[in-house]
Each structure stands twice: as C-alpha cells, then as structure tokens.
Amino acid sequence: MKIERIEAIPYSIPYTHPLRFASGEVHAAEHVLIRVHTDEGLVGTADAPPRPYTYGETQASIIAVVRDIFGPQLAGLDPLDREKAQQIMRRTIHNDTAKGAVDIALWDLIGQSLGTPVHQLLGGYADGMRVSHMLGFRPAAELLEEAQRFREQYGITTFKLKTGRRPLGLDVEAVHVLREGLGEEVEIYLDANRGWTANEALEVLRRTEGMGLTALEEPCDASEALSRRRLVQHSAIPIVGDESVPTPGDVSRELLSGGCNAICIKTARSGFTQATEILGLCTGLGVDVTMGNQIDTQIGSLATVTFGAAHEASQRRAGELSNFLDMADDLLAEPLVIRDGVIRVRETAGVGAVIDEDKLARYRQD
Ligand code: MUC
Ligand code: MG
C-alpha cells in the first residue's frame, strides 16, 4: 500500500455560542479535514484545528504545508512505515497540528489495512474514557448553570474552568460559586492559558485554598522561568504544562527545569506517534498526564479517546472530550455519544471517523 496524495479541505461550522478563554476565543470551528489517499483506495481521515493565537497555524498555513511540503514528501511511502513518515515531517519544525493530523490519518490507514481498531493497536487498555467538560469565560452564575446541565444531561462530573482573567477576583469568585453549587464530589481544575503572571497564579491559589481544586494548567508564560519554578515548588496541586509542551523535547525541558510537574497531551498537535513518546516520557518520570482538548470537533475528540483509552496512564483522569457539544453541527456520520459521563472508543477497523459527505459539501470552503 502506498500513499498517493493528501487532501487538505478547509471547512467552517459555527458554534452555538462563542467559547472564550485567556488566549483567544472561537465563534466557528474553522478547521481543515485531512484525507490521506492510497493506491489501494483506502482513505485515512483526521481533523486539524488551527489555533492562530497559540501555535501560529492558520487554515491557510495548514493547507499550504500539507499541499506543498508533506504531501509531496510522503507520496509513495507505505503508511506502515510510520517512523519514516515521522522523520520526513520532523525536518520541518513547528506546524504541529498539520503534522498531528497527518499522523492520525496514517494510523487510521494502518488500522483499516489490518482490519483492527486503532485503540487496540495503540494499547487496547480500556473501551472508553470519562469526560471532562471545559467551561469558557462567562459570568459565574451561567457557568454553574452550564455545569449543572452537563452533569444532569450527560453525567459529566469533571469540569475544567477557564481562568486567567483580571481582576483575579473574577476567577476566584467562579471557583467558589462552582464549588458551592456543585458540591464536594465534582472535580474542578483550572486552565489560565498564560493569562496571569506566576505570582498572580500564586495569589489565586492562596484565595482558592480549601476549594478542592485538582490542577492548574498553564498559569503563565513558561518563559517566566524562575517565578514559574517557584510557583511549581509552592503549589499544593500539580502545575500542568499545555501549550508550552507541544513536543517530547518541550516536555523534557519543562519537566527537567521545574516549569511544570504534569503534562497535557493533545493528539491534535502530537498525533498518536508523538503522543506515545510523550506518554512514555511522563510514565517513565512518574508524572501525571491529562488528555487535553484543542477545542476539537467530534473527529478530533474521537482521536483523543482512541489514544487516551488505549493506555492505563492516559485514562486515569477524565479526558477533555466534550466541547463539540458547543458546535451547531459536525462532520462525523455517526455522532459521538456521552452516556453516564463516558465516551466509548469505536470497534471498527481504523479510528472510525466516517465523514458525512453531504455535511462536508455544505461546510467546506474551497
Ligand atoms: C486548552 O487546554 O488550552 C484553548 C485553546 C486551545 O487550543 O485549546 C484550548 C484548551
Ligand atoms: Mg490548556
């Protein structure tokens, strides 16, 4: 089996309401659908969600790097030669989301050609993951209403609260309102997307002590090296690296320099191959991981659960798998289902992301 060509299709699907956080906001999923075609007629599928304000990738940059660089360089390769594909893409630095999607599409082809679900090829540990729902910036009362609704409707009992606002009291109030309204049993953790300084983060941790928070993600820019190390040393809860650690090399640097002591893995930017390397690094060092969300569609969330459920260490914590619920529509032919707070992996060959072609025709922009 040989790779013939790689398609990169831009599309846009609106959100039912804007999702806001410290580093940006989204009103529509303006993503790129990646399709790797082979000479045997198999097609590998994945989703690339550009985050211009985080990684500098845009729809146009993803299309250009796939069309002009990765597509021609990978043509003729057997999708089973994963390490060759990795080495080819590694020559070009950055462009993590484009690389991640191509890698997932290649795994999809491998699974299809072997007639095996990819979650089994990766590790086959569990058949699903508990879901964590991400709450964007909103007034505290609306956040509580959203969390209660998601608990009732989907059985979700883990929430990631977007923070990083000033004055700090806004986020401190939101934590108190959520904890009082949701009770002790619900897990709450924070993600500031670099919105604070390390010292402001310490202040927030002081003002939320006793609230049972389980983690604080990307409190400040990782380049604030000394203050951030002080924060990590003084925090009673894990400080999670997210956008500071897109590659295994970044993970090593931040863990060894004390910039964080837990890692968010996102298949959207690491694919399955680099996510495996990052997970090995973390389990080897005894560091917790969370399966994060790059504001993924159902296609992206299916990839996250496929990887996350496959390994013991990545399914311990709830994975961020539900923000497709904020979208007005999706491209997946058979929608993902959240039942009793859990999303299950697909037992079909490959990853299982079959596209609804009518919807793709409606939302594609090329
Ligand atoms: C997160 O964990 O930071 C916000 C932007 C993005 O790319 O991912 C989200 C969630
Ligand atoms: Mg984050």
Side-chain angles (χ1 to χ4, degrees), residues 203-214:
E203 169 73 14
V204 171
L205 289 180
R206 265 194 299 277
R207 290 167 65 181
T208 53
E209 225 179 292
M211 289 287 114
L213 299 176
T214 54

Side-chain angles (χ1 to χ4, degrees), residues 19 21 23-24 26 49-51 53-55 134 160 162 191 193 217-218 242-243 264 266 269 292-295 320:
L19 191 59
F21 38 95
S23 53
V26 290
R51 293 286 159 252
Y53 34 76
T54 310
Y55 309 102
M134 184 166 86
K160 162 152 142 176
K162 285 298 194 185
D191 183 359
N193 286 110
E217 188 169 304
E218 216 68 87
D242 175 11
E243 53 266 44
C264 171
K266 289 182 174 170
R269 67 175 175 224
N293 171 0
Q294 205 160 305
I295 319 183
E320 295 162 13

